[in-house]
Amino acid sequence: MSISKELQVLKEFKCPDRCVLSAYVNTNPADPDQLKGAWRIHLKSGLKRIEEYITASKDENELQAFKKLKDKVVKEIEDHQHDLHKGVVIFASENPELWSVHYVQVHVRTSFHWEDHPVLEEMEYMYKAYPEAGIVLPSFGEVRILDTAMGFLNDELIYDFEPNLQGWGDRKKSSDDDNHPAIGSSKVDVLEPRLKENLGRFYKGMGEIVEKLKKERGWKEIHVAGEAELAKAFAEILREKPASCIHKNLNNSKPYEVLHQVFEK
């Protein structure tokens, strides 16, 4: 399920009384406030404050329901403590049942909520900044496409261009691709007219593929990044203007570096 669809489901979730625990936890190891796993302290102290509040209300059923969810949330995060990213967002309820976990690669502000509905404002803010998006990296030798959401790479596709054969095909990214000779070769200004014409046809066909991927994968945005002439040329063949067009060759960059350039610059 896409994040946009899951958010819609969460918006419709409701309890007769308070039963939903919404937990936002900053686990970013690069954050000075998270030195030596400080997220553990913030997690347990935040949940303890809610437990104390419920205890004071003297509703034993509500307290027991919260304790079960608290233990489940703590176990979930501790079980994944060795592969945490920048943040964790969890929405949980016992009755009716709800368990929605998101390990995200975007900044999360630690907070905890106990309500009759999931508290989604922070999640919606993050999604607005990092929606489902396709990042297109055109070069002379290939077009590289990153399928992303919430700062994560979902998939990576590469379409090769054979200039003399007017042919092209798609392939998955592999470890051997780092030495692919065509990557970054984009001196379109010195190409023969015939090769420029073939490249134009290649880009036109790729534009149709990108539009199809946008529909199939639910992208809210398309971003283009490449050397100026190639990025401009590819952006112009798209039916909808891209959300951004960055004049920088990122084809040799790792996916997380590309995402940083596109979304955080």
Side-chain angles (χ1 to χ4, degrees):
M1 184 186 298
S2 67
I3 295 175
S4 60
K5 289 181 179 178
E6 185 158 358
L7 277 172
Q8 189 56 46
V9 171
L10 289 169
K11 283 180 182 179
E12 296 170 0
F13 191 93
K14 187 84 171 176
C15 306
D17 300 302
R18 292 179 304 189
C19 74
V20 181
L21 174 60
S22 301
Y24 293 84
V25 187
N26 177 4
T27 58
N28 185 358
D31 189 331
D33 292 335
Q34 299 304 314
L35 294 176
K36 297 182 179 179
W39 60 264
R40 293 183 181 86
I41 298 173
H42 299 151
L43 172 65
K44 292 183 179 180
S45 62
L47 294 174
K48 183 180 179 181
R49 281 194 294 271
I50 295 179
E51 184 174 340
E52 290 172 346
Y53 174 76
I54 299 172
T55 300
S57 71
K58 298 182 179 180
D59 187 325
E60 191 61 30
N61 290 332
E62 182 180 2
L63 180 61
Q64 292 306 314
F66 173 80
K67 284 183 176 180
K68 288 181 182 178
L69 294 174
K70 179 195 71 172
D71 292 344
K72 189 174 181 181
V73 165
V74 171
K75 184 178 186 304
E76 169 68 29
I77 300 177
E78 288 185 340
D79 284 351
H80 292 84
Q81 62 183 294
H82 298 300
D83 55 357
L84 294 173
H85 298 278
K86 287 187 177 181
V88 186
V89 182
I90 300 177
F91 304 103
S93 172
E94 176 111 309
N95 186 24
E97 186 176 355
L98 173 65
W99 185 247
S100 177
V101 181
H102 305 269
Y103 291 92
V104 299
Q105 191 67 329
V106 299
H107 175 71
V108 174
R109 181 173 56 85
T110 299
S111 64
F112 303 92
H113 312 269
W114 179 248
E115 302 288 347
D116 63 355
H117 61 280
V119 175
L120 299 171
E121 286 81 0
E122 182 74 10
M123 184 73 168
E124 289 178 314
Y125 175 80
M126 290 188 291
Y127 178 67
K128 185 176 180 181
Y130 297 84
E132 287 109 342
I135 303 175
V136 184
L137 307 170
S139 70
F140 172 64
E142 66 180 28
V143 170
R144 180 182 174 197
I145 302 174
L146 306 183
D147 177 10
T148 75
M150 296 290 281
F152 268 114
L153 177 71
N154 295 325
D155 195 11
E156 180 171 6
L157 301 168
I158 296 178
Y159 294 79
D160 290 316
F161 172 54
E162 295 295 340
N164 295 315
L165 300 176
Q166 303 183 38
W168 55 275
D170 63 296
R171 60 186 168 91
K172 289 285 185 181
K173 183 74 173 175
S174 68
S175 58
D176 296 334
D177 292 339
D178 292 336
N179 298 316
H180 195 275
I183 294 178
S185 177
S186 54
K187 300 302 181 184
V188 70
D189 54 323
V190 298
L191 294 179
E192 298 176 10
R194 178 176 59 84
L195 295 185
K196 283 188 178 181
E197 185 179 337
N198 290 349
L199 183 62
R201 280 197 289 266
F202 170 56
Y203 278 5
K204 185 177 180 181
M206 282 305 310
E208 294 173 356
I209 288 176
V210 168
E211 297 287 354
K212 183 180 179 183
L213 287 170
K214 180 176 184 288
K215 183 177 180 180
E216 290 176 349
R217 304 199 176 199
W219 292 342
K220 306 301 180 185
E221 302 174 349
I222 293 175
H223 301 264
V224 178
E227 291 191 17
E229 290 300 316
L230 297 176
K232 288 178 182 176
F234 200 94
E236 287 173 358
I237 58 96
L238 295 173
R239 284 191 304 229
E240 294 182 20
K241 184 179 179 181
S244 70
C245 185
I246 300 171
H247 298 162
K248 187 173 183 180
N249 185 352
L250 300 175
N251 261 45
N252 286 324
S253 301
K254 300 295 183 183
Y256 74 88
E257 295 170 341
V258 176
L259 269 65
H260 178 76
Q261 290 286 332
V262 170
F263 292 110
E264 299 185 26
K265 290 293 185 181

